[in-house]
Amino acid sequence: MWSAGLDDAMVLAWASLLTLTMWIAETQSKKNYSIRPEVVLPDHYVKEIQPPAAPGQPVQLFFDIHIVDINSINVEDMDFRVDMFVRQQWTEPRLHMPDAIFEDGEDYVTLPPEFFDNLWQPDPYIINSKVSEIAMLTHQFSSVTLYRNRTVRYSARMHAIIACQMEFKLYPMDIQLCPVYIESFSYNDRKLRLRWGEDGVSVNPALKLLQYNVGTPLELRETGGYRMEKDGNFSRLVVFFRFERQIGHHLIQTFAPSSLVVLLSWCGFWLGLDAIPGRVTLLVTCMLTLVTMFTGLKDIPPVAYVKALDVWMAACMLFVFAALVEFVVVKVLHVQHQAEQREQRGSLPLRISAVEKGELYSQAWEVAGAFPGGGARWRKVAVSSSGSAAGSPRVGPRVPGSGSQDADSPPHVLLLPPPRHAAPAATAPAAWTDRLGAAGPGEQRQLWREIDRMSRLVFPALFIMFVLCYWPILLLRAYGV
């Protein structure tokens, strides 16, 4: 009897516990009925079948992107990372939308991402992305919003690493145009048409990059075409990101210092040829400085073509090298001229014997500047033992230091001034001196000094011409202005 009563009590207790559990579950389900798919999905709903559309018309999928941040523009791997909010929107006419799921005064309800697994899902993807995934902390940052007109909107916070084919011919004024291609993976354009939404692609106004400016507005396109890898025509969305490199860093770190080094190399034109150590040290130091600056540029990887910065640095090194070559040429001319002068001073006779190798007459050659009043020029004459010049009505002045002369003295040579009608005699080699434009008689201009004087004007003029050609061409090719 006691055992029968105990059994009845246990059955009653279990029945009460089961009833309480079912009541709690039903209460909780009423509070969170939005996660129950059967509330909005009909019994015959099949999520693998796309929503019905008008006959002959594909499902319209509207796409919106809001760029939160762009970072890590990697020129070595030629890609960039972007953090963004992605929003997809389409119409699902098969849904049941009872008024009970909407709050008062609202025409939409936001559901957790788990509900999205029970709906038909489009499959857009970024074609040129290396990595793309939805951000998450404790759960994925995504949600589903249902509207009374049976519109479904899926939103997610995601980041992607997108490949971009970069071109550096105009570096450091290069502009990188990086497209982002969005396309459906399995639905061709007869089943799904991708369209940009009302907002299209927007950029965070507070977005700032270290070396680039993001060009706005962004260019949006809706294209399509045959895809051989998927054997069909597919709808595609394209957005072009325009990254314009900021040149301020390179003006301060590269262009200004290299220009100053070139200007410094011209100081050697004002140094004399005797300052060989100082002049050579100055030019070699300038050349090594430019080479160090050129090899220290590590902002971009080595490429197989010539960049705009390469042209600038090569031109600067060429100007410094030309200044060094100019000094070598001038120094060689100066040394050769000094050797010529020493040779002339050693061969100028003040007195020459008239009897040489048994000849009765002897000849003296004209010498420029051999005696006081160095501007005088002399002609060669033959004189006899009597002291009179052959074929000359009178004898010119005697050679200084020749002593007295009488009839019994041995024959000797006198240097006489040339007649007025005589042609100008040859002077010292014209390669080293130049009388044209001399300020006065006997004043000469040395060729090496003229080269230094001309270099003080020619080198700056050529560098200014290069700068005036370099920057307009670079700006024209970079910005098309």
Side-chain angles (χ1 to χ4, degrees), residues 324-351:
L324 182 59
V325 172
E326 185 270 348
F327 170 69
V328 173
V329 172
V330 168
K331 187 59 181 176
V332 169
L333 293 178
H334 180 249
V335 170
Q336 291 184 0
H337 175 68
Q338 288 181 333
E340 185 73 19
Q341 281 188 330
R342 287 193 298 268
E343 182 180 352
Q344 289 181 3
R345 285 195 298 267
S347 63
L348 292 179
L350 297 180
R351 186 172 183 176

PDB file of all heavy atoms in Angstrom, residues 324-351:
ATOM      1  N   LEU A 324      83.256  67.345 -62.226  1.00  0.00           N
ATOM      2  CA  LEU A 324      84.534  66.681 -61.962  1.00  0.00           C
ATOM      3  C   LEU A 324      85.351  66.536 -63.244  1.00  0.00           C
ATOM      4  O   LEU A 324      86.573  66.766 -63.252  1.00  0.00           O
ATOM      5  CB  LEU A 324      84.277  65.313 -61.328  1.00  0.00           C
ATOM      6  CG  LEU A 324      85.505  64.479 -60.940  1.00  0.00           C
ATOM      7  CD1 LEU A 324      86.368  65.234 -59.943  1.00  0.00           C
ATOM      8  CD2 LEU A 324      85.075  63.131 -60.373  1.00  0.00           C
ATOM      9  N   VAL A 325      84.713  66.178 -64.346  1.00  0.00           N
ATOM     10  CA  VAL A 325      85.410  66.061 -65.630  1.00  0.00           C
ATOM     11  C   VAL A 325      85.930  67.425 -66.076  1.00  0.00           C
ATOM     12  O   VAL A 325      87.044  67.541 -66.614  1.00  0.00           O
ATOM     13  CB  VAL A 325      84.466  65.452 -66.685  1.00  0.00           C
ATOM     14  CG1 VAL A 325      85.093  65.505 -68.073  1.00  0.00           C
ATOM     15  CG2 VAL A 325      84.122  64.015 -66.319  1.00  0.00           C
ATOM     16  N   GLU A 326      85.142  68.476 -65.844  1.00  0.00           N
ATOM     17  CA  GLU A 326      85.580  69.824 -66.216  1.00  0.00           C
ATOM     18  C   GLU A 326      86.857  70.202 -65.476  1.00  0.00           C
ATOM     19  O   GLU A 326      87.781  70.795 -66.057  1.00  0.00           O
ATOM     20  CB  GLU A 326      84.460  70.819 -65.900  1.00  0.00           C
ATOM     21  CG  GLU A 326      84.738  72.251 -66.344  1.00  0.00           C
ATOM     22  CD  GLU A 326      85.431  73.076 -65.273  1.00  0.00           C
ATOM     23  OE1 GLU A 326      85.482  72.603 -64.114  1.00  0.00           O
ATOM     24  OE2 GLU A 326      85.927  74.174 -65.594  1.00  0.00           O
ATOM     25  N   PHE A 327      86.940  69.857 -64.207  1.00  0.00           N
ATOM     26  CA  PHE A 327      88.153  70.169 -63.444  1.00  0.00           C
ATOM     27  C   PHE A 327      89.355  69.401 -63.992  1.00  0.00           C
ATOM     28  O   PHE A 327      90.462  69.950 -64.104  1.00  0.00           O
ATOM     29  CB  PHE A 327      87.939  69.832 -61.972  1.00  0.00           C
ATOM     30  CG  PHE A 327      89.198  69.899 -61.158  1.00  0.00           C
ATOM     31  CD1 PHE A 327      89.816  71.107 -60.900  1.00  0.00           C
ATOM     32  CD2 PHE A 327      89.783  68.738 -60.671  1.00  0.00           C
ATOM     33  CE1 PHE A 327      90.985  71.166 -60.162  1.00  0.00           C
ATOM     34  CE2 PHE A 327      90.948  68.789 -59.935  1.00  0.00           C
ATOM     35  CZ  PHE A 327      91.551  70.009 -59.679  1.00  0.00           C
ATOM     36  N   VAL A 328      89.166  68.141 -64.362  1.00  0.00           N
ATOM     37  CA  VAL A 328      90.272  67.350 -64.907  1.00  0.00           C
ATOM     38  C   VAL A 328      90.759  67.961 -66.216  1.00  0.00           C
ATOM     39  O   VAL A 328      91.972  68.098 -66.451  1.00  0.00           O
ATOM     40  CB  VAL A 328      89.828  65.890 -65.105  1.00  0.00           C
ATOM     41  CG1 VAL A 328      90.907  65.096 -65.826  1.00  0.00           C
ATOM     42  CG2 VAL A 328      89.511  65.245 -63.761  1.00  0.00           C
ATOM     43  N   VAL A 329      89.834  68.357 -67.095  1.00  0.00           N
ATOM     44  CA  VAL A 329      90.219  68.947 -68.379  1.00  0.00           C
ATOM     45  C   VAL A 329      90.975  70.254 -68.163  1.00  0.00           C
ATOM     46  O   VAL A 329      92.022  70.509 -68.783  1.00  0.00           O
ATOM     47  CB  VAL A 329      88.968  69.166 -69.250  1.00  0.00           C
ATOM     48  CG1 VAL A 329      89.314  69.964 -70.506  1.00  0.00           C
ATOM     49  CG2 VAL A 329      88.349  67.833 -69.628  1.00  0.00           C
ATOM     50  N   VAL A 330      90.462  71.105 -67.290  1.00  0.00           N
ATOM     51  CA  VAL A 330      91.109  72.388 -67.030  1.00  0.00           C
ATOM     52  C   VAL A 330      92.504  72.183 -66.443  1.00  0.00           C
ATOM     53  O   VAL A 330      93.465  72.869 -66.823  1.00  0.00           O
ATOM     54  CB  VAL A 330      90.229  73.234 -66.091  1.00  0.00           C
ATOM     55  CG1 VAL A 330      90.997  74.442 -65.571  1.00  0.00           C
ATOM     56  CG2 VAL A 330      88.981  73.698 -66.816  1.00  0.00           C
ATOM     57  N   LYS A 331      92.636  71.235 -65.544  1.00  0.00           N
ATOM     58  CA  LYS A 331      93.945  70.991 -64.939  1.00  0.00           C
ATOM     59  C   LYS A 331      94.936  70.461 -65.963  1.00  0.00           C
ATOM     60  O   LYS A 331      96.121  70.841 -65.970  1.00  0.00           O
ATOM     61  CB  LYS A 331      93.793  70.000 -63.776  1.00  0.00           C
ATOM     62  CG  LYS A 331      95.076  69.809 -62.979  1.00  0.00           C
ATOM     63  CD  LYS A 331      95.558  71.123 -62.385  1.00  0.00           C
ATOM     64  CE  LYS A 331      96.853  70.944 -61.617  1.00  0.00           C
ATOM     65  NZ  LYS A 331      97.374  72.235 -61.114  1.00  0.00           N
ATOM     66  N   VAL A 332      94.503  69.599 -66.870  1.00  0.00           N
ATOM     67  CA  VAL A 332      95.390  69.086 -67.916  1.00  0.00           C
ATOM     68  C   VAL A 332      95.852  70.218 -68.826  1.00  0.00           C
ATOM     69  O   VAL A 332      97.038  70.321 -69.179  1.00  0.00           O
ATOM     70  CB  VAL A 332      94.677  67.981 -68.716  1.00  0.00           C
ATOM     71  CG1 VAL A 332      95.473  67.617 -69.963  1.00  0.00           C
ATOM     72  CG2 VAL A 332      94.478  66.749 -67.850  1.00  0.00           C
ATOM     73  N   LEU A 333      94.940  71.109 -69.220  1.00  0.00           N
ATOM     74  CA  LEU A 333      95.320  72.249 -70.050  1.00  0.00           C
ATOM     75  C   LEU A 333      96.325  73.148 -69.333  1.00  0.00           C
ATOM     76  O   LEU A 333      97.281  73.641 -69.934  1.00  0.00           O
ATOM     77  CB  LEU A 333      94.074  73.047 -70.436  1.00  0.00           C
ATOM     78  CG  LEU A 333      93.073  72.350 -71.358  1.00  0.00           C
ATOM     79  CD1 LEU A 333      91.880  73.254 -71.610  1.00  0.00           C
ATOM     80  CD2 LEU A 333      93.715  71.951 -72.671  1.00  0.00           C
ATOM     81  N   HIS A 334      96.108  73.353 -68.058  1.00  0.00           N
ATOM     82  CA  HIS A 334      97.015  74.206 -67.286  1.00  0.00           C
ATOM     83  C   HIS A 334      98.408  73.592 -67.190  1.00  0.00           C
ATOM     84  O   HIS A 334      99.429  74.280 -67.346  1.00  0.00           O
ATOM     85  CB  HIS A 334      96.429  74.431 -65.893  1.00  0.00           C
ATOM     86  CG  HIS A 334      97.281  75.297 -65.018  1.00  0.00           C
ATOM     87  ND1 HIS A 334      97.934  74.798 -63.912  1.00  0.00           N
ATOM     88  CD2 HIS A 334      97.611  76.612 -65.098  1.00  0.00           C
ATOM     89  CE1 HIS A 334      98.617  75.774 -63.338  1.00  0.00           C
ATOM     90  NE2 HIS A 334      98.432  76.890 -64.037  1.00  0.00           N
ATOM     91  N   VAL A 335      98.491  72.300 -66.951  1.00  0.00           N
ATOM     92  CA  VAL A 335      99.791  71.631 -66.842  1.00  0.00           C
ATOM     93  C   VAL A 335     100.525  71.671 -68.177  1.00  0.00           C
ATOM     94  O   VAL A 335     101.734  71.943 -68.241  1.00  0.00           O
ATOM     95  CB  VAL A 335      99.597  70.186 -66.354  1.00  0.00           C
ATOM     96  CG1 VAL A 335     100.896  69.399 -66.456  1.00  0.00           C
ATOM     97  CG2 VAL A 335      99.089  70.177 -64.918  1.00  0.00           C
ATOM     98  N   GLN A 336      99.814  71.428 -69.269  1.00  0.00           N
ATOM     99  CA  GLN A 336     100.454  71.466 -70.579  1.00  0.00           C
ATOM    100  C   GLN A 336     100.929  72.877 -70.927  1.00  0.00           C
ATOM    101  O   GLN A 336     101.984  73.062 -71.545  1.00  0.00           O
ATOM    102  CB  GLN A 336      99.485  70.946 -71.647  1.00  0.00           C
ATOM    103  CG  GLN A 336      99.197  69.459 -71.525  1.00  0.00           C
ATOM    104  CD  GLN A 336      98.321  68.957 -72.655  1.00  0.00           C
ATOM    105  OE1 GLN A 336      97.930  69.725 -73.532  1.00  0.00           O
ATOM    106  NE2 GLN A 336      98.011  67.669 -72.625  1.00  0.00           N
ATOM    107  N   HIS A 337     100.176  73.884 -70.550  1.00  0.00           N
ATOM    108  CA  HIS A 337     100.595  75.257 -70.807  1.00  0.00           C
ATOM    109  C   HIS A 337     101.852  75.610 -70.018  1.00  0.00           C
ATOM    110  O   HIS A 337     102.766  76.275 -70.539  1.00  0.00           O
ATOM    111  CB  HIS A 337      99.473  76.219 -70.452  1.00  0.00           C
ATOM    112  CG  HIS A 337      99.868  77.664 -70.577  1.00  0.00           C
ATOM    113  ND1 HIS A 337     100.131  78.262 -71.786  1.00  0.00           N
ATOM    114  CD2 HIS A 337     100.069  78.618 -69.627  1.00  0.00           C
ATOM    115  CE1 HIS A 337     100.464  79.525 -71.594  1.00  0.00           C
ATOM    116  NE2 HIS A 337     100.433  79.768 -70.290  1.00  0.00           N
ATOM    117  N   GLN A 338     101.909  75.173 -68.774  1.00  0.00           N
ATOM    118  CA  GLN A 338     103.111  75.432 -67.981  1.00  0.00           C
ATOM    119  C   GLN A 338     104.329  74.750 -68.598  1.00  0.00           C
ATOM    120  O   GLN A 338     105.424  75.328 -68.644  1.00  0.00           O
ATOM    121  CB  GLN A 338     102.900  74.951 -66.545  1.00  0.00           C
ATOM    122  CG  GLN A 338     101.948  75.822 -65.737  1.00  0.00           C
ATOM    123  CD  GLN A 338     101.776  75.326 -64.319  1.00  0.00           C
ATOM    124  OE1 GLN A 338     101.933  74.137 -64.058  1.00  0.00           O
ATOM    125  NE2 GLN A 338     101.454  76.232 -63.415  1.00  0.00           N
ATOM    126  N   ALA A 339     104.157  73.537 -69.098  1.00  0.00           N
ATOM    127  CA  ALA A 339     105.274  72.853 -69.752  1.00  0.00           C
ATOM    128  C   ALA A 339     105.701  73.585 -71.015  1.00  0.00           C
ATOM    129  O   ALA A 339     106.898  73.702 -71.325  1.00  0.00           O
ATOM    130  CB  ALA A 339     104.870  71.415 -70.076  1.00  0.00           C
ATOM    131  N   GLU A 340     104.745  74.118 -71.775  1.00  0.00           N
ATOM    132  CA  GLU A 340     105.059  74.878 -72.988  1.00  0.00           C
ATOM    133  C   GLU A 340     105.826  76.151 -72.652  1.00  0.00           C
ATOM    134  O   GLU A 340     106.779  76.526 -73.348  1.00  0.00           O
ATOM    135  CB  GLU A 340     103.766  75.209 -73.720  1.00  0.00           C
ATOM    136  CG  GLU A 340     103.965  75.884 -75.065  1.00  0.00           C
ATOM    137  CD  GLU A 340     104.467  74.918 -76.112  1.00  0.00           C
ATOM    138  OE1 GLU A 340     104.317  73.697 -75.904  1.00  0.00           O
ATOM    139  OE2 GLU A 340     105.012  75.388 -77.121  1.00  0.00           O
ATOM    140  N   GLN A 341     105.428  76.825 -71.594  1.00  0.00           N
ATOM    141  CA  GLN A 341     106.134  78.042 -71.197  1.00  0.00           C
ATOM    142  C   GLN A 341     107.568  77.743 -70.779  1.00  0.00           C
ATOM    143  O   GLN A 341     108.497  78.478 -71.128  1.00  0.00           O
ATOM    144  CB  GLN A 341     105.381  78.730 -70.053  1.00  0.00           C
ATOM    145  CG  GLN A 341     104.173  79.525 -70.499  1.00  0.00           C
ATOM    146  CD  GLN A 341     103.582  80.332 -69.360  1.00  0.00           C
ATOM    147  OE1 GLN A 341     103.669  79.937 -68.199  1.00  0.00           O
ATOM    148  NE2 GLN A 341     102.989  81.462 -69.707  1.00  0.00           N
ATOM    149  N   ARG A 342     107.761  76.676 -70.019  1.00  0.00           N
ATOM    150  CA  ARG A 342     109.123  76.326 -69.615  1.00  0.00           C
ATOM    151  C   ARG A 342     109.991  75.991 -70.826  1.00  0.00           C
ATOM    152  O   ARG A 342     111.166  76.351 -70.894  1.00  0.00           O
ATOM    153  CB  ARG A 342     109.081  75.144 -68.644  1.00  0.00           C
ATOM    154  CG  ARG A 342     108.580  75.501 -67.251  1.00  0.00           C
ATOM    155  CD  ARG A 342     108.867  74.386 -66.265  1.00  0.00           C
ATOM    156  NE  ARG A 342     108.191  73.149 -66.636  1.00  0.00           N
ATOM    157  CZ  ARG A 342     106.979  72.802 -66.204  1.00  0.00           C
ATOM    158  NH1 ARG A 342     106.317  73.620 -65.395  1.00  0.00           N
ATOM    159  NH2 ARG A 342     106.440  71.664 -66.576  1.00  0.00           N
ATOM    160  N   GLU A 343     109.412  75.325 -71.807  1.00  0.00           N
ATOM    161  CA  GLU A 343     110.164  74.978 -73.008  1.00  0.00           C
ATOM    162  C   GLU A 343     110.535  76.221 -73.805  1.00  0.00           C
ATOM    163  O   GLU A 343     111.641  76.338 -74.332  1.00  0.00           O
ATOM    164  CB  GLU A 343     109.338  74.022 -73.869  1.00  0.00           C
ATOM    165  CG  GLU A 343     110.062  73.575 -75.130  1.00  0.00           C
ATOM    166  CD  GLU A 343     109.210  72.635 -75.952  1.00  0.00           C
ATOM    167  OE1 GLU A 343     108.134  72.223 -75.453  1.00  0.00           O
ATOM    168  OE2 GLU A 343     109.609  72.318 -77.086  1.00  0.00           O
ATOM    169  N   GLN A 344     109.611  77.191 -73.899  1.00  0.00           N
ATOM    170  CA  GLN A 344     109.903  78.420 -74.629  1.00  0.00           C
ATOM    171  C   GLN A 344     110.970  79.249 -73.928  1.00  0.00           C
ATOM    172  O   GLN A 344     111.871  79.799 -74.564  1.00  0.00           O
ATOM    173  CB  GLN A 344     108.621  79.240 -74.797  1.00  0.00           C
ATOM    174  CG  GLN A 344     107.637  78.636 -75.770  1.00  0.00           C
ATOM    175  CD  GLN A 344     106.406  79.496 -75.914  1.00  0.00           C
ATOM    176  OE1 GLN A 344     106.329  80.565 -75.313  1.00  0.00           O
ATOM    177  NE2 GLN A 344     105.459  79.029 -76.711  1.00  0.00           N
ATOM    178  N   ARG A 345     110.881  79.369 -72.612  1.00  0.00           N
ATOM    179  CA  ARG A 345     111.883  80.147 -71.884  1.00  0.00           C
ATOM    180  C   ARG A 345     113.274  79.533 -72.012  1.00  0.00           C
ATOM    181  O   ARG A 345     114.278  80.227 -72.058  1.00  0.00           O
ATOM    182  CB  ARG A 345     111.492  80.261 -70.412  1.00  0.00           C
ATOM    183  CG  ARG A 345     110.364  81.251 -70.153  1.00  0.00           C
ATOM    184  CD  ARG A 345     110.274  81.582 -68.676  1.00  0.00           C
ATOM    185  NE  ARG A 345     109.964  80.396 -67.875  1.00  0.00           N
ATOM    186  CZ  ARG A 345     108.738  80.033 -67.527  1.00  0.00           C
ATOM    187  NH1 ARG A 345     107.704  80.760 -67.922  1.00  0.00           N
ATOM    188  NH2 ARG A 345     108.550  78.952 -66.798  1.00  0.00           N
ATOM    189  N   GLY A 346     113.377  78.241 -72.108  1.00  0.00           N
ATOM    190  CA  GLY A 346     114.677  77.598 -72.245  1.00  0.00           C
ATOM    191  C   GLY A 346     115.243  77.684 -73.638  1.00  0.00           C
ATOM    192  O   GLY A 346     116.448  77.503 -73.837  1.00  0.00           O
ATOM    193  N   SER A 347     114.439  77.976 -74.680  1.00  0.00           N
ATOM    194  CA  SER A 347     114.915  77.991 -76.066  1.00  0.00           C
ATOM    195  C   SER A 347     115.022  79.386 -76.644  1.00  0.00           C
ATOM    196  O   SER A 347     115.301  79.548 -77.829  1.00  0.00           O
ATOM    197  CB  SER A 347     113.980  77.157 -76.938  1.00  0.00           C
ATOM    198  OG  SER A 347     112.686  77.731 -76.935  1.00  0.00           O
ATOM    199  N   LEU A 348     114.806  80.462 -75.885  1.00  0.00           N
ATOM    200  CA  LEU A 348     114.902  81.825 -76.409  1.00  0.00           C
ATOM    201  C   LEU A 348     116.355  82.290 -76.368  1.00  0.00           C
ATOM    202  O   LEU A 348     116.892  82.536 -75.283  1.00  0.00           O
ATOM    203  CB  LEU A 348     114.017  82.768 -75.578  1.00  0.00           C
ATOM    204  CG  LEU A 348     112.516  82.553 -75.693  1.00  0.00           C
ATOM    205  CD1 LEU A 348     111.791  83.535 -74.801  1.00  0.00           C
ATOM    206  CD2 LEU A 348     112.074  82.696 -77.128  1.00  0.00           C
ATOM    207  N   PRO A 349     117.030  82.425 -77.476  1.00  0.00           N
ATOM    208  CA  PRO A 349     118.439  82.875 -77.449  1.00  0.00           C
ATOM    209  C   PRO A 349     118.510  84.387 -77.415  1.00  0.00           C
ATOM    210  O   PRO A 349     117.749  85.062 -78.080  1.00  0.00           O
ATOM    211  CB  PRO A 349     119.008  82.338 -78.758  1.00  0.00           C
ATOM    212  CG  PRO A 349     117.828  82.322 -79.682  1.00  0.00           C
ATOM    213  CD  PRO A 349     116.611  82.055 -78.831  1.00  0.00           C
ATOM    214  N   LEU A 350     119.413  84.906 -76.630  1.00  0.00           N
ATOM    215  CA  LEU A 350     119.687  86.339 -76.659  1.00  0.00           C
ATOM    216  C   LEU A 350     120.823  86.669 -77.631  1.00  0.00           C
ATOM    217  O   LEU A 350     120.978  87.808 -78.063  1.00  0.00           O
ATOM    218  CB  LEU A 350     120.034  86.829 -75.251  1.00  0.00           C
ATOM    219  CG  LEU A 350     118.908  86.688 -74.220  1.00  0.00           C
ATOM    220  CD1 LEU A 350     119.374  87.214 -72.876  1.00  0.00           C
ATOM    221  CD2 LEU A 350     117.680  87.420 -74.693  1.00  0.00           C
ATOM    222  N   ARG A 351     121.642  85.695 -77.926  1.00  0.00           N
ATOM    223  CA  ARG A 351     122.733  85.916 -78.882  1.00  0.00           C
ATOM    224  C   ARG A 351     123.031  84.597 -79.566  1.00  0.00           C
ATOM    225  O   ARG A 351     123.196  83.585 -78.905  1.00  0.00           O
ATOM    226  CB  ARG A 351     123.977  86.427 -78.163  1.00  0.00           C
ATOM    227  CG  ARG A 351     125.105  86.811 -79.110  1.00  0.00           C
ATOM    228  CD  ARG A 351     126.200  87.477 -78.337  1.00  0.00           C
ATOM    229  NE  ARG A 351     127.268  87.920 -79.240  1.00  0.00           N
ATOM    230  CZ  ARG A 351     128.337  88.605 -78.851  1.00  0.00           C
ATOM    231  NH1 ARG A 351     128.468  88.933 -77.576  1.00  0.00           N
ATOM    232  NH2 ARG A 351     129.270  88.968 -79.719  1.00  0.00           N
TER     233      ARG A 351
END
